[in-house]
Amino acid sequence: MNIVTRPLETELPKEEEKLTEKPPMYEVCLLNDDYTPMEFVIIVLQKFFAMKKENATQIMLKVHREGRAVCGVYSKDIAASKVSAVLDFAKVYQHPLQCVMEKK
């Protein structure tokens, strides 16, 4: 007697597994400049990255000392909207703060 077994419906063929890979993630970074006040950077971190003041202060100091710091890791669309929101906010307050996203 031959018994034919079929794969479970939850098992995906190898080709389909490749199609369902996780999307790439992007780091959102703040860059240091000589003009943006440190307090403004802390406000940005609290407002756009939901950081508490202590954590925001640590990230701000890292930006200041190392020239850049990662503020968060997001999907492409969310990272792009965070970058845009930070740049628009800085522009309104006439600060040259730069925010970029980089593929992780």
Side-chain angles (χ1 to χ4, degrees):
M1 176 158 134
N2 283 339
I3 298 177
V4 178
T5 58
R6 292 189 299 179
L8 295 175
E9 289 180 24
T10 57
E11 293 179 15
L12 294 175
K14 296 271 186 216
E15 296 165 4
E16 286 186 38
E17 284 182 19
K18 292 178 185 175
L19 296 176
T20 59
E21 290 177 1
K22 291 184 180 179
M25 300 300 280
Y26 290 78
E27 295 178 336
V28 176
C29 302
L30 288 180
L31 307 180
N32 190 38
D33 65 73
D34 294 334
Y35 304 102
T36 304
M38 292 179 178
E39 275 301 316
F40 184 79
V41 175
I42 292 171
I43 291 167
V44 165
L45 291 166
Q46 290 176 304
K47 181 175 180 71
F48 297 102
F49 301 97
M51 292 186 188
K52 294 190 178 191
K53 187 160 184 144
E54 296 78 22
N55 193 24
T57 302
Q58 290 174 350
I59 298 295
M60 176 275 298
L61 288 171
K62 185 170 182 172
V63 171
H64 181 69
R65 292 181 183 136
E66 298 177 20
R68 69 185 299 123
V70 175
C71 304
V73 180
Y74 306 96
S75 65
K76 186 176 184 177
D77 291 341
I78 293 174
S81 69
K82 295 261 185 198
V83 168
S84 179
V86 169
L87 294 175
D88 290 346
F89 187 72
K91 189 174 186 178
V92 166
Y93 288 93
Q94 300 178 348
H95 294 300
L97 182 65
Q98 292 298 299
C99 185
V100 296
M101 61 188 257
E102 297 173 345
K103 197 171 186 178
K104 189 172 176 188

